[in-house]
Amino acid sequence: MTVTSGALRSRTDLCTAIENELSGLIGKRASAATAYGPNFTRLWELAGHNVLGGKFVRPLLLMETYDALRQRGTNQPEQDHRETSPHATGHRETAISIAAAIELLHYSFLLHDDVIDGDLVRRGHPNLIGSLLAEAQALPRNNTAEGARAGSDLHWAQTGGILMGDMLLAATHQAFARADLPHELRLRLLDLLEHTINETVAGEQLDVGLGDGIIDPHLETILVMCGYKTATYTFELPLRAAAALAGADFAVENALATAGRHLGLAFQLQDDLLSTFGDPRRHGKDPFSDLREGKETAIIAHARTTGAWQDIEPFFGRPELNGAECEYVRRHLADCGAETFVNGLIEQQLQAFNDLLTSTIPSAVCTVLLDLAGQLEGRQS
Amino acid sequence: MTVTSGALRSRTDLCTAIENELSGLIGKRASAATAYGPNFTRLWELAGHNVLGGKFVRPLLLMETYDALRQRGTNQPEQDHRETSPHATGHRETAISIAAAIELLHYSFLLHDDVIDGDLVRRGHPNLIGSLLAEAQALPRNNTAEGARAGSDLHWAQTGGILMGDMLLAATHQAFARADLPHELRLRLLDLLEHTINETVAGEQLDVGLGDGIIDPHLETILVMCGYKTATYTFELPLRAAAALAGADFAVENALATAGRHLGLAFQLQDDLLSTFGDPRRHGKDPFSDLREGKETAIIAHARTTGAWQDIEPFFGRPELNGAECEYVRRHLADCGAETFVNGLIEQQLQAFNDLLTSTIPSAVCTVLLDLAGQLEGRQS
């Protein structure tokens, strides 16, 4: 017999509510899409499949924080779908809609990131672009040279990625814009969305500039890039939105945002460690894609400052590296202290995070954040 | 001595109001952008330069239609900046803001279109991507092979195009979302924006699918594509938005939208004619880029149905075509009747447009539309 705890029941209920909201947002658009033919409809089908197959990290963070701020403990799982708080200013229905919109924003960013990086796979499965490419390749066509056809199939698929990213970005804004909220609160959320998009775009641009050799790979730049590109929209946005919707003090919102940034940076740095040193059977990514692509991470930034770099550099960013060469680079990165150095950076971020969980942030919210931080421990994927 | 007519004065005032609004929307964001460093700021500078150098076709159509619907004739130029109408439900300030937002949407579409098409030039000048590319190429860099560097410079520049398009799409939505309007009217405008984006994306996807050989080049498909890709956001959106903001009857809005679609299709077909048969010294485009790219236009769709196609096909869509070969194709396209055929299609659209200018559409608005239609006559660029 399985015993389901209140906390688990509550999270399952939240997942269901978020999934229903996302199904509604996507389903409505997928239906409207049929008026424009099968290719257009296919974009929404694939996007819907990918979005609804996600883990809802961001919407769950928003809703659990919102509920904690509104003092809905994990011991009140039955109240999840109703506005039963004695506070008159809660906006739980809208919070679910904003949470779902943030998941659409996430997929919009992922899609454009995949176009920019030329990626066709995410977590071991074809992404939207990879699916469109496979479907285009399966079409019978005449009078096209094989080489030209390969180019046009990829062009078609990547165009689908750009266009679907645009539509998801639009859908995100529509949800924020339509929120049934007091004017001032809607404007505050719109400010937050704009700030988030600017910072994420700035982070993406830094990331690409580092990879393309336009921007110098200083450690400081790389850490700023990680914060902008991922921490802002994954942690700061859901936390600030939860605080605004729950009517929390601005001091609480700011403390949450700062805690979220530290946590977000820790997650991103750990992602880099996993990609380079982790077990590909667990994380499901190409184990050496960061090395082959020449991705400028904190690991590499540290290695550049050591004597080992002269042995690593000839292999870094070479797409044709074989497995043995990759292993050689990986061993040098570990031996030069880069792995230890980045683990130290993660510790620093977690310490700064923990230091914030004292006075300003309500204890129920600290529980939510500590639970999230706990997912870093022993993380394999 | 120059005599400035009331109509011209009025249009100049409108241009100034639109320019001020756009300067405000962009200037605010360009200032905020400086926090993220010079590369991010550069995106907003370039976008601002391009947007503010435009002709404001869409915002002018919206505002002139709005003013005509609110019975501000061209004989009332002094009232342009104030809400002096006796009707209480006018929203002129908001109309200017929505008009400016539609211009941002236009540039967002252009940027992503340029990324998709690999274009670096628009109307004889470097577009945003072309400017970013030239600036990247001018940077001193070491340790990069010439070939790899060319690829990464272009990648950096095209990434800028994707990201800036995203930010302009976001800025468009922000303006719609923040409009100080009754809830129902804001929702109506948001519906309109969503419909427009869907249809434009569907049109772009059709266009790319035709070019990549994924979708068969039937004339019907090409005409649908033209309507979706350009007529919807250039004509239908400004006209419907003007009607909604002016409080016009739904019958008027629908008649305007239909008239706008006919006019939009006529403009697009004429663009195709100009690109293929026009004088490049006048229209400023590469005179044979449509032929070299293998762009599926109504001209080509007609040629495919004639005996001339067997002489044209070997040259169509070959990037390496020389001037003499292009001239040869152009002559065959004219001789096979394709130019005449497309001119006939334009006439049909203009006839359908004229037929609508009878009862439903107020006469002041008919004047605005006829003035716009008049720009087709003798158009060289």
Side-chain angles (χ1 to χ4, degrees):
Chain A
M1 187 184 140
T2 309
V3 178
T4 308
S5 77
L8 276 179
R9 271 236 313 284
S10 176
R11 181 164 292 173
T12 308
D13 288 348
L14 276 180
C15 272
T16 305
I18 292 161
E19 196 170 5
N20 287 342
E21 182 70 21
L22 280 167
S23 289
L25 288 174
I26 295 168
K28 189 186 97 173
R29 290 172 169 86
S31 296
T34 58
Y36 301 103
N39 290 304
F40 189 73
T41 307
R42 187 70 185 136
L43 292 179
W44 278 103
E45 282 172 1
L46 287 169
H49 178 77
N50 291 338
V51 171
L52 292 169
K55 289 188 287 185
F56 307 152
V57 173
R58 295 151 196 85
L60 280 171
L61 177 59
L62 192 158
M63 290 311 300
E64 289 183 351
T65 305
Y66 176 90
D67 282 346
L69 285 166
R70 301 289 292 168
Q71 300 178 318
R72 295 154 180 284
T74 49
N75 54 345
Q76 297 171 281
E78 302 313 315
Q79 300 181 6
D80 276 351
H81 292 275
R82 296 185 304 278
E83 180 56 68
T84 54
S85 161
H87 303 257
T89 54
H91 301 284
R92 196 164 193 278
E93 288 299 317
T94 305
I96 289 177
S97 148
I98 296 292
I102 291 174
E103 195 72 355
L104 297 183
L105 182 67
H106 168 53
Y107 277 89
S108 168
F109 287 147
L110 284 189
L111 267 175
H112 283 186
D113 193 49
D114 284 342
V115 171
I116 290 166
D117 293 347
D119 287 338
L120 303 172
V121 172
R122 190 166 282 272
R123 297 196 169 270
H125 297 282
N127 59 14
L128 178 134
I129 303 162
S131 299
L132 290 175
L133 178 61
E135 290 164 17
Q137 286 167 340
L139 286 177
R141 271 185 288 160
N142 306 319
N143 301 327
T144 314
E146 208 51 44
R149 178 171 166 169
S152 64
D153 286 344
L154 182 61
H155 181 255
W156 163 255
Q158 291 190 316
T159 297
I162 293 178
L163 297 177
M164 193 63 228
D166 289 348
M167 288 196 290
L168 289 171
L169 185 61
T172 303
H173 282 87
Q174 287 279 344
F176 274 72
R178 287 165 191 271
D180 188 12
L181 292 172
H183 190 61
E184 286 306 311
L185 181 52
R186 199 178 53 248
L187 292 186
R188 193 165 153 204
L189 288 172
L190 287 166
D191 281 340
L192 186 52
L193 178 61
E194 181 159 27
H195 165 78
T196 301
I197 289 171
N198 283 344
E199 213 148 280
T200 310
V201 164
E204 178 79 16
Q205 194 197 27
L206 275 178
D207 195 14
V208 170
L210 287 163
D212 287 339
I214 302 280
I215 295 167
D216 290 333
H218 300 301
L219 176 64
E220 181 59 28
T221 308
I222 289 163
L223 295 180
V224 165
M225 180 274 287
C226 290
Y228 286 171
K229 185 177 168 179
T230 310
T232 305
Y233 88 87
T234 301
F235 294 86
E236 186 176 344
L237 172 63
L239 289 168
R240 280 196 187 272
L245 287 160
D249 288 348
F250 205 61
V252 173
E253 182 182 325
N254 279 335
L256 282 173
T258 309
R261 294 189 76 82
H262 289 303
L263 211 47
L265 199 45
F267 265 91
Q268 185 57 49
L269 290 168
Q270 210 196 30
D271 255 357
D272 293 339
L273 282 182
L274 283 172
S275 294
T276 302
F277 301 108
D279 182 349
R281 288 167 303 181
R282 305 292 289 272
H283 61 61
K285 301 175 196 172
D286 176 345
F288 300 120
S289 67
D290 281 7
L291 295 180
R292 289 196 179 106
E293 288 169 16
K295 188 175 171 193
E296 297 288 350
T297 62
I299 303 165
I300 299 299
H302 182 270
R304 281 182 191 277
T305 67
T306 71
W309 184 246
Q310 64 186 26
D311 297 323
I312 296 169
E313 189 174 22
F315 299 96
F316 181 64
R318 300 181 73 99
E320 72 280 11
L321 285 193
N322 65 37
E325 289 165 329
C326 288
E327 280 294 354
Y328 167 89
V329 174
R330 177 149 82 167
R331 204 171 56 246
H332 271 67
L333 286 172
D335 291 348
C336 79
E339 186 175 10
T340 309
F341 172 75
V342 174
N343 269 315
L345 291 178
I346 294 173
E347 279 310 308
Q348 280 174 26
Q349 293 299 322
L350 289 178
Q351 188 55 53
F353 162 75
N354 273 306
D355 291 347
L356 282 160
L357 302 185
T358 49
S359 52
T360 321
I361 301 175
S363 65
V365 183
C366 288
T367 308
V368 172
L369 292 176
L370 284 166
D371 180 51
L372 187 60
Q375 295 173 28
L376 255 91
E377 306 285 328
R379 191 168 159 233
Q380 303 287 335
S381 68
Chain B
M1 185 183 143
T2 310
V3 179
T4 308
S5 78
L8 277 179
R9 273 237 310 286
S10 176
R11 180 163 293 173
T12 308
D13 289 348
L14 275 179
C15 274
T16 305
I18 291 160
E19 197 171 4
N20 288 341
E21 183 70 20
L22 281 168
S23 288
L25 288 174
I26 294 168
K28 190 186 95 175
R29 291 173 168 85
S31 296
T34 58
Y36 301 104
N39 289 306
F40 188 74
T41 308
R42 189 69 185 134
L43 292 178
W44 278 103
E45 282 173 3
L46 287 168
H49 178 78
N50 292 339
V51 170
L52 292 170
K55 289 188 286 184
F56 306 153
V57 173
R58 295 153 195 85
L60 281 171
L61 176 58
L62 192 159
M63 290 312 300
E64 290 184 349
T65 304
Y66 177 90
D67 283 346
L69 286 166
R70 300 289 293 169
Q71 299 179 319
R72 294 157 180 282
T74 50
N75 53 345
Q76 297 170 281
E78 301 313 315
Q79 300 182 6
D80 276 349
H81 292 274
R82 296 185 304 277
E83 181 54 70
T84 54
S85 161
H87 303 257
T89 53
H91 301 283
R92 196 164 192 277
E93 288 299 317
T94 304
I96 289 178
S97 149
I98 295 292
I102 291 174
E103 195 71 354
L104 298 183
L105 182 67
H106 168 53
Y107 277 88
S108 169
F109 287 147
L110 284 188
L111 268 174
H112 283 187
D113 193 50
D114 284 342
V115 171
I116 289 166
D117 292 349
D119 287 337
L120 303 173
V121 172
R122 191 166 282 272
R123 296 196 170 271
H125 297 281
N127 59 15
L128 180 134
I129 302 161
S131 299
L132 291 175
L133 178 61
E135 290 165 17
Q137 286 167 339
L139 286 178
R141 270 184 289 161
N142 306 319
N143 303 327
T144 314
E146 208 50 45
R149 179 171 166 168
S152 63
D153 286 345
L154 182 61
H155 181 255
W156 163 255
Q158 290 189 317
T159 296
I162 293 177
L163 297 177
M164 193 63 228
D166 288 348
M167 289 197 289
L168 289 171
L169 185 61
T172 303
H173 282 87
Q174 287 279 345
F176 274 72
R178 287 165 190 271
D180 187 14
L181 292 172
H183 190 62
E184 284 307 312
L185 181 50
R186 199 177 53 248
L187 292 186
R188 191 164 156 206
L189 288 172
L190 286 166
D191 282 340
L192 186 52
L193 178 61
E194 181 158 27
H195 165 78
T196 301
I197 290 172
N198 283 344
E199 212 149 282
T200 310
V201 164
E204 179 78 16
Q205 194 196 29
L206 274 177
D207 195 13
V208 170
L210 286 162
D212 287 338
I214 302 280
I215 295 166
D216 290 334
H218 299 302
L219 175 65
E220 181 60 29
T221 308
I222 290 163
L223 295 180
V224 165
M225 180 272 289
C226 291
Y228 285 170
K229 185 177 168 179
T230 309
T232 304
Y233 87 87
T234 301
F235 294 86
E236 186 176 346
L237 172 63
L239 290 167
R240 279 197 188 271
L245 286 159
D249 288 348
F250 205 61
V252 173
E253 182 181 326
N254 278 336
L256 281 173
T258 309
R261 295 190 74 84
H262 289 304
L263 211 46
L265 199 46
F267 267 90
Q268 185 58 50
L269 290 167
Q270 210 197 29
D271 255 357
D272 293 339
L273 283 181
L274 281 173
S275 295
T276 303
F277 302 108
D279 181 348
R281 288 166 302 179
R282 305 292 288 272
H283 61 61
K285 300 174 196 172
D286 175 347
F288 300 120
S289 67
D290 281 7
L291 295 180
R292 290 196 178 105
E293 287 168 17
K295 188 173 171 193
E296 297 288 350
T297 61
I299 303 164
I300 299 298
H302 182 268
R304 282 183 191 278
T305 66
T306 71
W309 185 247
Q310 63 187 31
D311 298 322
I312 297 169
E313 189 174 22
F315 298 96
F316 182 64
R318 301 180 73 98
E320 72 280 8
L321 284 194
N322 64 36
E325 289 166 330
C326 288
E327 281 294 353
Y328 167 90
V329 175
R330 177 150 82 167
R331 203 172 57 245
H332 271 67
L333 285 172
D335 290 349
C336 80
E339 186 175 11
T340 310
F341 172 75
V342 175
N343 269 315
L345 291 178
I346 294 172
E347 280 309 309
Q348 280 174 25
Q349 293 300 322
L350 290 178
Q351 188 57 53
F353 162 75
N354 274 304
D355 290 347
L356 281 160
L357 303 184
T358 47
S359 53
T360 320
I361 300 176
S363 66
V365 183
C366 290
T367 307
V368 172
L369 293 176
L370 283 167
D371 179 50
L372 186 61
Q375 295 173 27
L376 256 92
E377 305 286 327
R379 190 169 160 235
Q380 302 286 336
S381 68

